Amino acid sequence: MLPQMNGRLSCCSLLLLCTCYMSAARNANTLLELSPQEYFSSLQPGRASLVYFSRDALIGVSVSPGARLFLEQLENSVGALQDYGISVVKVNCLKEEVSRYCGKENALMKAYLFRGNVLLREFPTDALFDVNAIVANILFALLFNEVKYITTLVELQNLENSLKRRSNVVFAYVPAIGTAEHRAVMEAAFVHGTAHQFVLTTEVALLKTIGCEDSDALSARLFFCHCQRVPDLTQPCRRTPMEQSLTTLNIHTYLKLMAEPLVTEVAEDPEKVSTVHLQLGLPLVFILSQKETYEVDKRTAEYVAWQLLGKAGVALLSRDSVDLNVLLQSNVALKTAEEGAPIKYLVLEDTDEIIALVEDKIKGEQIQEDEDESDNNDQEIQDDQVMEAVYRDRKRELPLELIRTLTEETFSAALTETAHVVVLFYASWEAVSLAMLQSYVEVAIALKGTQGISLAKVNCWDWPDVCMKQNVTQFPITKMYEKGARPLTYTGMLGTAELLRFLRLSSISCPVKLTTIEEVDDYLSGEVYADSSSYHSTSVLGIFRPSMKEAREAFVEAGNMLRGYVTIGLYAEDDALILARKYAVPLPALLLARHEDHRLDSIPLSKQSAPDIVQTIRSQLLETFPEITVENLPHYLSLEKPLLILFSDGGLNQRVRMEMLSLANGKGHEAFLACWMNLKTTPVGRGVLKAYFSIPPPLPLLAWVNLHSGGEVFAFPSDQSVTETNILSWLEKLIAGLEIPSTTLSDEAWKPPLPAYNFLHMMKATLPEFTVHAVYSRGGTDELQQAEEVSEEKSTVREEQVEEPGLEAEKGQSPGRDLRGTAPRLAGREKPPKRHMEL
């Protein structure tokens, strides 16, 4: 009985041990939570710990969104920091606790790094914005004596001189502290810091002084300075650049290659030779030598090795020691890492041919890898076109000096300096923000010297509190501030022309109050705002009798909603009836002066609420026969009408245009939308044609597309001329079911491949005068319902109530504030003061 009981106890003990082990494994990456007493009593001499003192355990104390985001990133970094022996702790402050860490309100905005019970560094929590930033900053602080921070070329040269014949230098440039590249350098320094002296800078000017003229502010770089191999102390240290991107694995591989002998001498069959280079997938170059030319061949091998350092290995192979069954004239052999690949024996004239041979091979392999990666990532390349465009333009220098950079301390004061202040709220790490920043700079150039308007920007990654107070909930967003008024938010496309038009029209009062008949005539003729005529094609005028107070106030509200997208005038004088009789329209009424067509339309206002007036103006601004573009397509699709669309390879000739206009204005035109698309200015239309027809017919091509019911696509007979009579006859047959569709579109909802690629959901379809929000899908009832709801929105421009400017910012600057602004930026870094001088 006793042995049986002992067996059961052993099984139970083993089960308990396994359970405890599994629990410990699960909790290894969990943020440890302690009381202040528990934390300080658990500190061990020499052991580093990162701690955040939280007051959310206290009754009545709520966690701010910024603190909540920081705690999420802190917990995500637990495993990464534990790999380096650094514990991560959240200390829950007690109500009676009045220490320097728990007793102060601003302690919530800081994290603390201890070694044992010694405080090494305080960090503002917004400097530890993600796992990369946390790991990079913590390792940087712990390795402060091992990793030198420099800002000038003189400092680098002095350091190199002091280490000649003693140690090599690993010199790294990162565009900002806390980036993924900075983390990779710090992790490499943690492992290889005893073998090499690591040096870091964030000054792009220093990078350019050592010969990297083509460097841009987005590209991190790393160099290996060969100071230990300097034959003469008067000679400078050679610098070998690392060609690959800065990742932990790439840096480790690179340093492993730098530690290898410059030239390896071998005396065995090349087929049996294996070096670190081959093991890492790099080629090995053999310089074939013999006793009579050994010294010359060795110098040749060393020269080639320096040129190919980090790209290929170089070995000196003695013919006298190995019986090579090759031509006597062969002087070079190339062995690749491919298993089973034969060694190539070559006859080359000079060293340049050897270098070119290896570099061309590496370049060819890289191209093949890029093509394979491209094939495997079609979705990413096709859908993330914004990021692709930003990457393509990464070396483009932007004149950011035309745009003022605002901070928490300068924001309120800046809003009072000019009549109109435009502020771009963006995130420096986000692709769409960087793309918008390019457009914003172009707008600044166009407005340079314009009185009464200034442009500024706020990086919400650096100043989240500013953006939260301004009700910024997405990036990028542009707002115009005017003295005594609420801010106006731009909701249009992110292009230069659209934003510039918005800013120009926003500077005009909306509505403009007119007081005489002469002013009305000048306004309708376009003379009043002739300098802004290129930004609007239609002027809207509301006419009211003085007694129509309620309708007039609704019209003023509608004008405020459409400000920045259309010019609107208001006439409400005693002689308003004179204008009513002149234009034969009952009051209240709208007059629309279409300047391009030299036409004036009058419309009675039957519905007089602000949303109804906005909708009436929107409808009247729609073109009778519009040209479909990427910007306006979503709005026209929201009408849910079949499209009678004419695809053209260029502009329309006058005859075809007149025929289509007559059709669009004729009987029954309300049942469909007659429109056209210029494939030269809207090349995406060729992809549309390819979807409609497997073999697109010759252009021009007229098609009937019923997206909202059935999805059939019909092509107008190519042997008939495009006339109103022929089109109407064809439509009658089509409606009667006598025509066969060319194709039927799928009834699946048009959804993006990934939620993050739902650009239509984020896109605002811009009409010539205003913007609406829309999402569209054929066969998706939810999307159509959203479109209907959006079309009934009261406003296209959000006016928001924010705190009045003028609040005095704190003059004191908290420790660590100098680390702000270190997230990656677009090329063309801001000139004001140099950062990280305290390092």
Side-chain angles (χ1 to χ4, degrees), residues 510-511 513 542-561 568 570-572 588 605 608-611 613-614:
C510 192
K513 294 183 179 179
I543 307 174
F544 303 86
R545 287 197 301 269
S547 60
M548 298 176 175
K549 181 180 178 181
E550 186 175 343
R552 187 175 69 249
E553 290 177 350
F555 183 79
V556 171
E557 184 181 349
N560 290 330
M561 293 176 180
I568 297 179
L570 169 64
Y571 190 78
L605 274 177
Q608 299 169 15
S609 67
I613 295 174
V614 169

Side-chain angles (χ1 to χ4, degrees), residues 25-302:
R26 282 197 303 269
N27 295 329
N29 294 329
T30 302
L31 183 63
L32 185 64
E33 297 193 30
L34 301 173
S35 68
Q37 183 178 0
E38 290 172 335
Y39 171 68
F40 285 110
S41 63
S42 67
L43 294 177
Q44 301 175 16
R47 183 175 176 84
S49 61
L50 176 65
V51 58
Y52 175 71
F53 293 89
S54 171
R55 301 178 65 193
D56 59 355
L58 303 181
I59 299 176
V61 177
S62 60
V63 183
S64 67
R68 188 179 299 111
L69 177 62
F70 167 71
L71 285 172
E72 291 176 2
Q73 298 302 319
L74 187 66
E75 184 165 10
N76 292 337
S77 67
V78 170
L81 289 177
Q82 283 182 346
D83 290 341
Y84 299 100
I86 305 167
S87 57
V88 184
V89 182
K90 175 188 174 186
V91 172
N92 295 314
C93 294
L94 305 176
K95 186 174 182 180
E96 63 275 8
E97 180 66 43
V98 290
S99 69
R100 59 172 294 194
Y101 306 111
C102 287
K104 295 183 180 180
E105 185 70 27
N106 63 358
L108 295 174
M109 303 301 293
K110 294 180 182 178
Y112 300 86
L113 178 64
F114 288 87
R115 179 178 278 135
N117 60 358
V118 178
L119 176 63
L120 296 182
R121 183 76 182 271
E122 297 180 5
F123 296 95
T125 54
D126 56 359
L128 307 179
F129 45 83
D130 64 7
V131 175
N132 288 329
I134 293 172
V135 176
N137 277 288
I138 300 308
L139 291 181
F140 197 13
L142 291 175
L143 300 174
F144 188 78
N145 294 323
E146 288 79 10
V147 180
K148 305 294 184 183
Y149 184 87
I150 63 173
T151 59
T152 66
L153 179 61
V154 172
E155 290 178 278
L156 177 61
Q157 291 173 338
N158 290 340
L159 188 62
E160 288 177 331
N161 290 335
S162 67
L163 294 174
K164 285 179 179 177
R165 293 186 180 177
R166 293 171 47 208
S167 177
N168 294 315
V169 176
V170 179
F171 170 55
Y173 160 77
V174 293
I177 298 298
T179 59
E181 294 85 354
H182 181 214
R183 172 184 175 178
V185 173
M186 289 301 104
E187 290 180 325
F190 191 91
V191 177
H192 301 278
T194 56
H196 311 295
Q197 174 65 61
F198 278 73
V199 181
L200 183 73
T201 188
T202 57
E203 299 298 326
V204 70
L206 172 56
L207 192 63
K208 293 182 177 180
T209 58
I210 65 173
C212 298
E213 293 297 334
D214 61 338
S215 299
D216 61 85
L218 285 180
S219 301
R221 301 293 300 273
L222 188 138
F223 300 83
F224 191 89
C225 308
H226 305 270
C227 298
Q228 200 170 18
R229 296 183 180 181
V230 173
D232 187 347
L233 293 177
T234 61
Q235 294 181 358
C237 301
R238 281 178 178 264
R239 300 189 185 112
T240 301
M242 176 178 164
E243 303 291 344
Q244 295 78 19
S245 58
L246 265 63
T247 65
T248 303
L249 179 60
N250 286 346
I251 296 176
H252 174 75
T253 302
Y254 173 76
L255 294 179
K256 190 174 182 65
L257 292 173
M258 294 300 106
E260 288 299 297
L262 187 63
V263 176
T264 303
E265 296 193 27
V266 296
E268 60 178 318
D269 187 350
E271 295 285 357
K272 300 178 181 179
V273 173
S274 178
T275 65
V276 170
H277 295 84
L278 292 172
Q279 295 166 11
L280 294 175
L282 298 178
L284 178 63
V285 176
F286 293 94
I287 304 296
L288 305 187
S289 176
Q290 48 192 356
K291 187 183 299 183
E292 294 81 3
T293 59
Y294 172 77
E295 292 298 331
V296 175
D297 295 336
K298 185 177 180 181
R299 288 196 297 270
T300 300
E302 290 176 348

